[in-house]
Amino acid sequence: MLRLVLPLLMTLTATPAAADVVVFAAASLKTALDEVAQQFQAATGETVVISYAGSNTLARQILEGAPADLYVSAAENWMDLLEEQAGVAARRDLLGNRLVLVAPAGAPGMADGRAGGEIGPEFPLMERLGGARLSMALVEAVPAGQYGRAALESLGFWEHVKDQVAQSDNVRAALTLVARAELPLGIVYETDARAEPGVQTLGFFAEAMHPPIRYPVALLSAEKPSARAFYDHLSAEAAAGIFQNHGFQLLPAEAD
């Protein structure tokens, strides 16, 4: 399998001030979470600084001492690891998502399947690839890649396609390769596909084909009131509307 090492999607360009709320978040959240942060900043005057990358990379950075106030993962396993090894002040499941297969927008013979189709065992995946590579996030570490591999295994595709997978460090990087028509197909989240006009959705993978896609959020320390305020804001009605507009599924609120 080819691994493509692309730059991380990082918005943390300078050392944050002590009063800033520093958030480490899965790359697939970027479009929606930027909007939520802007909403919070306008309402409170607090500054939110967000660093985006693969959930695995961010969890490891926090464990190595990176100064984050909140962590939002695209999978429970990385949150579990962080909680076990470092502890958290509060944690809740925030959002759900869906996995889709995308192609470059306007690609010949690629009708948009957003209205229709569940990807099943009869889908001509290898024919559609035509000997080219399938764009995915890292299948052993990044949640989108792990979910995607599980779906391909469930459908009986993995053994046929595993040597044609181009792996990127995060799901937005995998999406970009398809949007630029550098690769003909990719597996990303539905919210990524909606955020990128350069791709079209061919179909979705049924939830039964992979582990449930859950985005847990953790408050890493209770010492900063502004961080707790943003943690609470992520589950507020105003933020929920933004997440829904970007295609995320809202999960039932749970006590911390």
Side-chain angles (χ1 to χ4, degrees):
M1 289 178 282
L2 174 68
R3 173 180 172 183
L4 301 183
V5 181
L6 298 180
L8 297 178
L9 295 172
M10 303 292 282
T11 60
L12 188 59
T13 57
T15 302
D20 291 342
V21 180
V22 180
V23 182
F24 279 22
S28 54
L29 286 162
K30 185 177 185 348
T31 308
L33 192 56
D34 279 352
E35 190 174 338
V36 171
Q38 290 168 6
Q39 178 192 69
F40 177 78
Q41 290 176 168
T44 66
E46 300 285 355
T47 301
V48 179
V49 180
I50 309 177
S51 175
Y52 295 101
S55 299
N56 58 313
T57 297
L58 297 173
R60 288 170 177 146
Q61 289 177 348
I62 294 169
L63 289 171
E64 291 170 2
D69 299 309
L70 276 75
Y71 170 55
V72 194
S73 174
E76 294 177 323
N77 60 335
W78 290 108
M79 184 65 78
D80 291 343
L81 176 69
L82 181 63
E83 185 171 14
E84 290 168 5
Q85 295 192 13
V88 300
R91 169 182 172 175
R92 66 168 66 109
D93 283 342
L94 183 65
L95 302 167
N97 212 333
R98 190 159 74 161
L99 208 62
V100 298
L101 183 70
V102 295
M110 297 286 189
D112 192 338
R114 187 172 296 158
E118 177 180 325
I119 302 294
E122 74 288 347
F123 186 85
L125 180 64
M126 303 307 294
E127 178 183 336
R128 290 287 181 92
L129 282 174
R133 295 189 178 275
L134 174 66
S135 186
M136 297 177 65
L138 292 170
V139 300
E140 297 292 342
V142 177
Q146 293 173 321
Y147 295 133
R149 175 174 176 167
L152 294 174
E153 288 176 339
S154 296
L155 292 168
F157 293 156
W158 180 250
E159 288 301 317
H160 302 288
V161 78
K162 65 181 181 180
D163 292 331
Q164 290 178 233
V165 174
Q167 300 185 54
S168 297
D169 285 344
N170 61 70
V171 69
R172 284 297 178 97
L175 177 72
T176 297
L177 291 174
V178 181
R180 293 176 178 172
E182 295 178 28
L183 294 176
L185 296 175
I187 297 177
V188 299
Y189 296 121
E190 183 175 30
T191 52
D192 296 312
R194 290 180 57 161
E196 175 52 72
V199 303
Q200 58 184 326
T201 300
L202 303 182
F204 67 91
F205 296 91
E207 292 182 2
M209 298 293 100
H210 54 76
I213 299 174
R214 297 287 184 267
Y215 289 72
V217 55
L219 177 67
L220 301 181
S221 171
E223 296 180 2
K224 187 184 291 187
S226 58
R228 178 74 203 208
F230 187 62
Y231 174 82
D232 291 339
H233 181 76
L234 291 175
S235 298
E237 185 176 350
I242 292 173
F243 286 127
Q244 283 184 306
N245 287 341
H246 287 277
F248 287 98
Q249 303 157 12
L250 301 180
L251 299 180
E254 298 178 355
D256 295 331

